[in-house]
Amino acid sequence: MSRIKDLYLCKNIDDLEKKSEIPDVRDRKMKIRLIRLLETARKLIAEAEKHDLLGDEEMAYVFYTKYFSLLNIIYKKKDYNESKPMIRQMLGDNRSNKMTMDRLEMLTKSLNERYDRLHAKTLPQITKVNLNASINQERSRSNSPKVIEGNGLPSSLRLMSSQELYESMKTLKVLIMDCRPAEDYKSSHLNYSLAFNVPQELIQYGMSAGKLQDKLDPESKKLWSARAIKDQVVLMDWSCSDPNPPEGSAIAVLLNILQNWDPDVTYRSPIKILEGGYEYFKMVYPFMCTNPMVQAPSTPQNNMNLIDDIEYPSVFDIQMKDEILSTTNTATSPIRPIIDRSSKMAAIQTYKEKEKAIDEIVKEQEVLLEKAQENDEELQKVAKQWNRIYEKKQLDPADQEILYKMMQLESVAEDYKLDNIRLREELEEYKRREQESATRLPQQTQEVVEKTKEIEAKIEERLRRDEQLEREKEQRAIQLAIARENKKMFQTRQMEKQQAEQEQLDREPSPTPPPPAAPEVIPTKPSVPQFDRSVKPQLTAHNQQQQPQRPQSPNIYALQERKRDFSPVRGSVPLMFDSIVVLVIMIIAGVKIQLPATTTYRYKSPFRPVKKGRGLTGLKNLGNTCYMNSILQCLSNTPQLAEYCITDKYKNYISRNNKTKGQIVEEVAALIKVLWNGNYKCVASKDLRYVIGQYQKMFRGIEQQDSHEFLTILMDWLHSDLQTLTVPEYPREPMTASDKAWLDFTKAKESLILHLFYGQIKSIVKCTTCDQESATYECFSNLSLELPENNNICQLSQCLDMYFSGERISGWNCPACKQKRDAIKKLNISKLPPVLVIHLKRFYADTDSLSPTYKKKQNYLRFPLENLNMSPYITISESRRSTSKSYELYAVSNHYGSMESGHYTAFCKSGTYNKWFKFDDQMVTPQDESTVVSSAAYILFYTRLAPSQYIMESNSSRL
């Protein structure tokens, strides 16, 4: 921000308030004035922020105040609830406005201090003498030192003694606001006509004076309105004697509202606080109280620990899910800027902006058509190979790779199709703006029209090509279904044949039995389990309780000592693009090159070989284990976890007292070490798969499983295997509800997995009748988000908005109303994990079909590679933490195909090379960053940690 400018506009805050007044538009209809009011509000906040950055506090104050005055008018409109989605879209939510209010409060405080300092320099000498005498008189009242505020006045002057209040009450020129609880006020209060109750239950952070007034009863509203005409306003509670009441107390919040959020009223004198509160006043002047024998509560009325628990003062502050769906599932055109067309220069500038827009569409279309054509050619080649093999009864690994390749190319083709449709919609929007334009430049407009027609022609041509590809895809789907049926029939006949042969052997007379020998233990072949997605484990429950009892298995220490079978394949890992370029240049230049077969080189600078391959090792497919390979590669490319395993730090924290006895983390660590040694093209995860199969049957067979389910169970296993870090003792002060829930979940034992991947959700239920709020806390290792129903293309922010929006529930037992009420449930994140894993619910149950089946949503989800901001979805307490709220993508688990036949891959950004790679079972290839976002994305891995930050931000000394 620039240097703060000198005061020049006004002499005090009151004068600034007058400059901040806006015309009264409350008698206008909402539907007529809404767009204009919102546009005006946006301009006001933009001007305020501009002057704030320039250091002009006075002008920033004026525009901020005008903004909130206009906002208050909008909120009071009858049609406000119907227009909330549009208002939030243009002006932001309550949280962003709260940040703006905080900034205005800081400006108010700063300006008050500066005005007071300015006046202190120009006060006559006699005034200074009188002021000093007043200060000395105040100091003589008590031996305790008084706090001196920034304006040069002692804060004790804010207090009013009981005697002073009694004398002022005789003149009927003092208004008294009693902010004790309503029940306490009814039991005893001042016997004074200008005293009224502002119940403690109604006073909440984030309220304006107008909003608080709306909640008062009719009689109190009349007295509230007198605050502008009385000489003095005095606040009191039970016992406050502090001129600066504790932050969060009812009297402090009320004082803040009256001083900073009451723009319509100019107080005749500074607001005072009754010293000693009602408890001391009734002792001195009992005849002025309705019941002087009442006793003050023995416990404090203001629980400071509960202030952060109140996330939403009113149910109207909660954004509802149906509001988001109404804007998500309908095509809403963006609000167009108002253009001044009164001058020719403005018209020319507008044209130039449009010409730039049409040129951008042209360039984007050229790139899209080129990439789509390349994908078409590759798809045609693979489709020809598929046509030659699909009738085979058994597909060998090479045939299976052809099938997987075809699924991926079909998915990419679908993404290009959606991009082409998006371009058509953008072009239609552009044409619509052109038709509404009042100014025409004939020659230039003709050029734009020709470009538009050319783009339209190419779009339509590409759409016809996409329709042809869709028909071919449907034909291949039929072939695939036939192939699957043939395979089942072939396997059935094979099993029947084996059974018949066995029965034949059983009918033959058995030969003379040989002498008895030592029995040989033959491991039984595990049966192929059927995967039922309807019993998928809950994300937030600790899966240790859901896991079956561990069967008898070999001794764990013997398992450690035996040599693991990774079946490694030696060879070169993929060369980087710049390495290939350098090698080509060297060959053209006649430089002789000879590279060892098992070593890969990359040239960072010309003629300088560097060994490569760390973290770029593939994983063999052991029979539909691509789901497992995808997740393991994502975890292997989590730098903090990889470093923990490679350096053997994990060995110091293995727990042998859990069900898995530390075996899971040992096998995962051993595999990650091999993936990062840089010596192999691919390896097999046989030992890890065997151990996992001992504890979960579904991962034992050769059937395809769900990568999200595997990840959720694996996370709990790894946490359990490393859950040995003792949590330090909490202080004796009461813990927050969030900390207590976290301690209950961890059982006072934590792990690196917990510190990296686990967060906490706060679930809020709020009564629609009395605004009573109840909160519970639950831990999670990943967020599972719904995808919009009717959108082919959607944004990750839309999915997050839906997940963290409010939902209506009925029959909730309200603890305040003591009966069943309608309520609103809302989720927020109370603890953000350093590594945020987001699962997209692509698979859903099709209830329309005769038999229960699962289908897949093919939404093309747009998600950011950098700067995923989670600030809108966190609690107030979490927002106050100093940790970053912005995340960067580093891995994606992809799913191609359908429920019947699918394939998993992983896109991972290597921290070593700072480039993206595609992990497709045993194949690892460089990946263009522009292709990371696709409709195949299934699980997203984000991190807020720097690559060099290998240990958790907190508790690092214990790790």
Side-chain angles (χ1 to χ4, degrees):
M1 187 176 74
S2 303
R3 183 184 68 84
I4 297 178
K5 292 185 178 181
D6 295 335
L7 298 171
Y8 69 97
L9 194 60
C10 295
K11 296 181 179 180
N12 51 50
I13 287 288
D14 293 340
D15 292 343
L16 277 181
E17 288 286 350
K18 295 176 182 178
K19 290 184 177 291
S20 305
E21 294 178 356
I22 62 174
D24 189 2
V25 295
R26 285 175 291 184
D27 58 340
R28 311 291 180 85
K29 290 185 178 179
M30 182 73 166
K31 293 182 180 178
I32 298 176
R33 299 284 304 175
L34 179 60
I35 293 295
R36 189 171 299 176
L37 289 176
L38 293 177
E39 285 290 349
T40 302
R42 288 176 62 178
K43 292 177 182 178
L44 288 173
I45 197 67
E47 284 295 315
E49 291 172 350
K50 181 182 75 174
H51 288 291
D52 201 2
L53 288 173
L54 293 175
D56 191 343
E57 291 189 339
E58 290 178 305
M59 288 302 296
Y61 177 91
V62 169
F63 282 108
Y64 275 130
T65 305
K66 284 185 175 182
Y67 169 76
F68 281 110
S69 298
L70 187 58
L71 203 62
N72 190 45
I73 291 173
I74 294 173
Y75 286 164
K76 289 182 179 179
K77 291 289 187 178
K78 294 180 180 179
D79 296 339
Y80 166 70
N81 289 333
E82 301 175 7
S83 309
K84 278 201 294 186
M86 183 189 301
I87 294 172
R88 285 197 178 99
Q89 182 182 1
M90 295 188 66
L91 303 183
D93 56 11
N94 291 321
R95 195 177 295 273
S96 60
N97 282 327
K98 175 65 169 62
M99 295 173 64
T100 307
M101 290 175 71
D102 292 342
R103 180 55 190 156
L104 179 56
E105 186 175 355
M106 294 172 62
L107 283 174
T108 304
K109 183 178 179 181
S110 174
L111 285 169
N112 273 322
E113 293 175 355
R114 293 177 66 195
Y115 282 133
D116 290 338
R117 288 196 298 269
L118 183 63
H119 295 162
K121 295 178 182 178
T122 58
L123 281 175
Q125 187 65 28
I126 187 169
T127 305
K128 292 182 180 180
V129 171
N130 293 339
L131 178 62
N132 290 333
S134 176
I135 292 174
N136 291 333
Q137 183 179 2
E138 286 290 333
R139 286 177 177 170
S140 65
R141 291 184 181 180
S142 173
N143 294 328
S144 59
K146 301 294 182 182
V147 180
I148 304 298
E149 293 182 331
N151 57 10
L153 294 174
S155 62
S156 59
L157 290 181
R158 183 182 290 165
L159 295 176
M160 175 179 278
S161 67
S162 296
Q163 182 179 0
E164 290 173 338
L165 178 60
Y166 175 68
E167 295 297 330
S168 299
M169 290 166 66
K170 294 178 181 179
T171 64
L172 296 179
K173 292 183 178 180
V174 60
L175 181 70
I176 303 174
M177 297 185 184
D178 188 337
C179 58
R180 293 176 299 148
E183 290 297 323
D184 293 351
Y185 182 83
K186 289 179 182 178
S187 63
S188 180
H189 57 266
L190 293 176
N191 191 9
Y192 175 61
S193 60
L194 295 177
F196 67 104
N197 183 218
V198 183
Q200 175 183 312
E201 307 88 71
L202 302 182
I203 303 172
Q204 298 171 343
Y205 268 124
M207 298 181 73
S208 64
K211 192 170 184 180
L212 181 56
Q213 179 182 358
D214 292 340
K215 291 180 175 290
L216 298 176
D217 60 71
E219 289 300 318
S220 298
K221 285 181 180 178
K222 294 178 183 178
L223 292 173
W224 174 273
S225 302
R227 68 193 187 282
I229 60 176
K230 293 301 176 183
D231 292 342
Q232 188 71 62
V233 174
V234 178
L235 311 182
M236 74 172 183
D237 61 4
W238 268 111
S239 57
C240 181
S241 295
D242 191 347
N244 297 301
E247 184 181 0
S249 63
I251 197 167
V253 176
L254 179 58
L255 180 64
N256 178 58
I257 292 172
L258 296 176
Q259 287 182 332
N260 302 313
W261 307 114
D262 195 9
D264 298 330
V265 173
T266 300
Y267 292 88
R268 294 188 176 184
S269 61
I271 299 171
K272 299 275 189 174
I273 294 175
L274 177 61
E275 188 174 19
Y278 185 71
E279 185 176 19
Y280 185 76
F281 186 90
K282 70 180 178 63
M283 292 173 59
V284 180
Y285 302 102
F287 55 91
M288 292 299 297
C289 302
T290 59
N291 179 15
M293 302 303 293
V294 73
Q295 295 294 321
S298 58
T299 56
Q301 293 296 305
N302 301 309
N303 189 342
M304 294 297 296
N305 292 330
L306 296 180
I307 293 299
D308 282 349
D309 257 4
I310 306 299
E311 300 288 340
Y312 302 93
S314 169
V315 291
F316 297 108
D317 297 329
I318 300 176
Q319 188 175 17
M320 302 302 295
K321 187 172 183 178
D322 50 7
E323 295 174 1
I324 297 174
L325 290 174
S326 65
T327 57
T328 301
N329 295 331
T330 57
T332 55
S333 58
I335 297 173
R336 300 182 297 280
I338 299 174
I339 301 170
D340 179 14
R341 304 184 185 277
S342 58
S343 67
K344 185 176 180 180
M345 289 304 297
I348 294 174
Q349 181 62 30
T350 302
Y351 164 75
K352 289 181 178 179
E353 291 174 358
K354 290 183 177 182
E355 184 180 40
K356 180 181 179 181
I358 198 70
D359 286 341
E360 288 178 353
I361 294 176
V362 170
K363 291 178 182 178
E364 190 172 355
Q365 187 190 49
E366 290 175 353
V367 174
L368 172 63
L369 292 177
E370 182 179 353
K371 290 184 177 180
Q373 181 62 30
E374 292 176 359
N375 191 76
D376 291 349
E377 294 172 357
E378 186 68 21
L379 181 57
Q380 291 300 319
K381 294 179 182 177
V382 176
K384 289 180 180 178
Q385 295 175 326
W386 168 249
N387 289 333
R388 291 196 294 266
I389 65 172
Y390 82 90
E391 292 182 348
K392 294 173 64 174
K393 294 182 175 59
Q394 286 284 70
L395 297 181
D396 56 35
D399 298 335
Q400 200 72 33
E401 286 184 18
I402 293 174
L403 174 60
Y404 293 158
K405 181 69 173 177
M406 186 178 67
M407 290 179 180
Q408 296 176 54
L409 292 171
E410 286 176 345
S411 177
V412 174
E414 183 65 23
D415 291 349
Y416 288 145
K417 174 184 175 181
L418 294 175
D419 268 335
N420 191 47
I421 294 174
R422 175 183 55 81
L423 279 178
R424 182 176 64 177
E425 293 173 351
E426 290 180 3
L427 189 63
E428 290 297 325
E429 172 64 18
Y430 174 81
K431 288 167 61 180
R432 187 184 61 78
R433 293 200 309 264
E434 281 289 314
Q435 292 173 358
E436 293 180 358
S437 177
T439 305
R440 288 284 187 263
L441 302 177
Q443 182 180 357
Q444 295 173 333
T445 303
Q446 184 61 33
E447 295 175 3
V448 174
V449 170
E450 292 177 359
K451 285 185 178 180
T452 303
K453 289 182 178 179
E454 184 179 351
I455 296 173
E456 283 181 325
K458 291 181 179 179
I459 288 176
E460 293 302 324
E461 181 182 353
R462 183 65 218 180
L463 286 175
R464 288 192 292 271
R465 174 59 180 155
D466 289 333
E467 290 176 359
Q468 175 63 27
L469 289 176
E470 187 66 28
R471 289 191 291 270
E472 295 174 0
K473 179 181 177 181
E474 291 175 357
Q475 182 62 33
R476 287 192 293 269
I478 294 173
Q479 294 175 348
L480 183 58
I482 295 173
R484 285 199 302 269
E485 196 62 32
N486 290 339
K487 180 180 178 182
K488 289 180 182 178
M489 293 175 61
F490 175 75
Q491 291 176 342
T492 301
R493 287 196 295 268
Q494 288 290 101
M495 292 178 63
E496 290 175 351
K497 182 179 179 181
Q498 292 176 1
Q499 290 177 357
E501 292 176 350
Q502 185 63 40
E503 290 175 358
Q504 181 66 27
L505 291 173
D506 293 341
R507 285 195 295 269
E508 294 178 359
S510 56
T512 304
E520 180 181 1
V521 178
I522 303 175
T524 59
K525 183 179 179 181
S527 60
V528 178
Q530 297 298 317
F531 178 45
D532 182 6
R533 294 181 187 272
S534 64
V535 294
K536 199 167 184 177
Q538 298 296 319
L539 299 182
T540 53
H542 203 284
N543 284 327
Q544 289 176 344
Q545 300 174 359
Q546 301 178 8
Q547 297 165 9
Q549 291 293 326
R550 174 178 176 259
Q552 295 296 324
S553 60
N555 182 277
I556 57 172
Y557 299 105
L559 227 165
Q560 294 176 25
E561 294 171 359
R562 69 177 177 81
K563 186 177 180 181
R564 293 181 174 88
D565 181 14
F566 292 111
S567 302
V569 175
R570 293 186 175 272
S572 302
V573 296
L575 285 173
M576 298 294 210
F577 177 74
D578 52 352
S579 306
I580 298 173
V581 173
V582 172
L583 289 174
V584 170
I585 294 174
M586 294 175 66
I587 293 171
I588 294 175
V591 178
K592 188 175 181 181
I593 304 172
Q594 185 174 1
L595 301 178
T598 60
T599 308
T600 303
Y601 291 85
R602 177 188 176 210
Y603 286 79
K604 285 189 175 180
S605 58
F607 314 105
R608 180 182 170 187
V610 180
K611 184 178 178 181
K612 286 294 173 185
R614 287 177 55 81
L616 302 181
T617 300
L619 286 169
K620 294 181 181 180
N621 194 316
L622 305 177
N624 282 329
T625 58
C626 56
Y627 71 93
M628 188 181 297
N629 294 344
S630 173
I631 295 301
L632 292 173
Q633 292 290 8
C634 291
L635 294 180
S636 174
N637 281 277
T638 303
Q640 298 76 22
L641 179 59
E643 191 267 353
Y644 203 61
C645 295
I646 293 170
T647 59
D648 287 339
K649 290 181 181 178
Y650 74 95
K651 291 183 177 180
N652 299 324
Y653 304 101
I654 295 179
S655 171
R656 302 294 184 185
N657 299 322
N658 61 327
K659 293 181 180 179
T660 54
K661 306 297 183 183
Q663 291 186 78
I664 302 295
V665 69
E666 287 181 327
E667 295 304 322
V668 168
L671 181 63
I672 288 178
K673 284 182 184 179
V674 175
L675 294 177
W676 279 86
N677 65 18
N679 295 325
Y680 306 119
K681 180 179 180 180
C682 64
V683 295
S685 57
K686 295 180 180 179
D687 296 274
L688 174 60
R689 187 191 181 199
Y690 170 78
V691 173
I692 288 176
Q694 298 301 304
Y695 300 102
Q696 190 59 265
K697 290 182 179 180
M698 70 171 70
F699 303 135
R700 194 182 300 174
I702 59 172
E703 291 296 311
Q704 182 66 272
Q705 302 297 339
D706 180 53
S707 68
H708 172 243
E709 187 160 12
F710 173 72
L711 171 66
T712 304
I713 295 175
L714 182 62
M715 280 290 110
D716 272 357
W717 280 343
L718 291 174
H719 165 57
S720 178
D721 276 357
L722 295 170
Q723 195 176 8
T724 58
L725 297 175
T726 303
V727 179
E729 292 185 4
Y730 281 85
R732 292 184 178 180
E733 289 78 9
M735 289 186 295
T736 63
S738 172
D739 290 336
K740 185 178 184 303
W742 185 263
L743 189 64
D744 290 342
F745 173 76
T746 61
K747 302 296 188 293
K749 295 288 184 179
E750 299 184 355
S751 70
L752 174 83
I753 302 299
L754 183 84
H755 293 161
L756 282 179
F757 294 95
Y758 280 75
Q760 188 185 63
I761 288 283
K762 179 180 182 180
S763 177
I764 303 163
V765 179
K766 199 168 189 68
C767 178
T768 58
T769 303
C770 69
D771 276 352
Q772 174 72 22
E773 182 176 299
S774 175
T776 56
Y777 297 85
E778 203 168 7
C779 295
F780 68 92
S781 61
N782 55 77
L783 297 177
S784 198
L785 308 184
E786 295 281 358
L787 292 167
E789 290 291 337
N790 303 323
N791 283 33
N792 290 327
I793 301 179
C794 54
Q795 304 284 341
L796 179 59
S797 59
Q798 294 173 325
C799 302
L800 287 167
D801 287 344
M802 288 194 299
Y803 186 83
F804 290 105
S805 58
E807 289 189 271
R808 292 177 175 84
I809 59 176
S810 58
W812 181 62
N813 291 315
C814 177
C817 299
K818 305 299 183 183
Q819 58 181 300
K820 293 185 180 296
R821 295 289 195 187
D822 290 338
I824 291 177
K825 182 179 179 180
K826 175 79 168 63
L827 302 179
N828 289 110
I829 299 179
S830 51
K831 288 184 185 295
L832 275 170
V835 177
L836 178 64
V837 182
I838 297 176
H839 160 241
L840 306 171
K841 290 185 177 180
R842 291 198 176 275
F843 303 108
Y844 66 99
D846 183 15
T847 56
D848 296 332
S849 59
L850 296 177
S851 58
T853 58
Y854 271 79
K855 290 187 177 181
K856 181 184 176 184
K857 293 180 180 179
Q858 302 286 357
N859 301 58
Y860 186 5
L861 182 75
R862 306 266 185 171
F863 48 88
L865 302 186
E866 297 177 345
N867 301 323
L868 172 64
N869 182 22
M870 295 299 293
S871 296
Y873 314 110
I874 60 179
T875 60
I876 295 175
S877 58
E878 179 65 14
S879 66
R880 292 172 181 167
R881 299 180 193 270
S882 59
T883 53
S884 172
K885 312 303 184 293
S886 182
Y887 287 80
E888 178 182 351
L889 187 77
Y890 73 92
V892 182
S893 175
N894 302 301
H895 181 272
Y896 300 92
S898 62
M899 286 294 300
E900 292 77 17
S901 179
H903 180 57
Y904 289 93
T905 68
F907 296 157
C908 301
K909 187 175 183 179
S910 170
T912 304
Y913 314 124
N914 197 30
K915 290 182 181 293
W916 283 90
F917 290 87
K918 176 183 178 182
F919 295 82
D920 188 353
D921 288 336
Q922 66 271 16
M923 298 298 298
V924 182
T925 54
Q927 181 79 8
D928 192 327
E929 186 178 276
S930 64
T931 62
V932 172
V933 179
S934 74
S935 59
Y938 185 44
I939 305 176
L940 310 176
F941 291 76
Y942 282 93
T943 181
R944 69 180 180 197
L945 302 179
S948 60
Q949 215 173 335
Y950 289 118
I951 298 190
M952 256 295 293
E953 299 148 322
S954 61
N955 306 310
S956 59
S957 61
R958 291 183 282 141
L959 298 180

